[in-house]
Amino acid sequence: MTSIKDLMNKVSFNEVSEILKELHPLETEDIKKFENTFNSLRTIKPTFDYFDMIIEVKENNGKIYVSNTHLGSLADLAGRRYKKQENITDNAFAAHCLYQIAVHTYETERYKDHLDEWDDDMMNPQKARIVR
């Protein structure tokens, strides 16, 4: 598994934008927003991600589901690993991720900064409590 940054460097924006236009009605201003986010994901230095989340794009009964693109800064998202189904092309995967990140935005602050009670043991796998 590689990172979202690696994926964005593997595909071209022209191909990804064609898929975006097929999936969603976009205005020229929207395309610029997507291109800016795409270029940022290609060039930003990934930071430490607090949660080892994997970004996934799944197809189920003709619907596409994208997970784990909502939490973390853009630098966090660039460093996230991803997992895709074999029937989804790299360009389509990049388009779905880019749409979620650009349209629904991303959280610019660390998740733990918003918790009322932060337990430092949460980040230590040997001390973390397992909730089932």
Side-chain angles (χ1 to χ4, degrees), residues 82-93:
Y82 68 91
K83 180 179 173 184
K84 69 180 187 71
Q85 293 176 334
E86 288 183 22
N87 63 328
I88 298 175
T89 66
D90 286 342
N91 287 323
F93 189 96

Side-chain angles (χ1 to χ4, degrees), residues 16-39:
V16 170
S17 67
E18 289 304 316
I19 295 170
L20 283 171
K21 290 173 192 173
E22 287 175 25
L23 296 171
H24 309 283
L26 301 173
E27 301 294 325
T28 305
E29 305 85 50
D30 293 332
I31 292 296
K32 277 292 177 203
K33 179 179 175 182
F34 286 107
E35 188 173 16
N36 290 340
T37 303
F38 178 83
N39 289 331

Side-chain angles (χ1 to χ4, degrees), residues 1-6 41 44-49 51-55 73-82:
M1 263 188 270
T2 59
S3 71
I4 292 298
K5 178 178 180 169
D6 295 335
L41 286 167
I44 199 167
K45 180 180 178 185
T47 57
F48 174 74
D49 193 3
F51 299 95
D52 192 22
M53 291 184 182
I54 296 173
I55 294 177
S73 67
L74 194 60
D76 291 336
L77 294 171
R80 287 230 174 107
R81 294 177 296 137
Y82 68 91

Side-chain angles (χ1 to χ4, degrees), residues 89-103:
T89 66
D90 286 342
N91 287 323
F93 189 96
H96 288 294
C97 287
L98 188 60
Y99 182 82
Q100 291 297 318
I101 293 169
V103 170

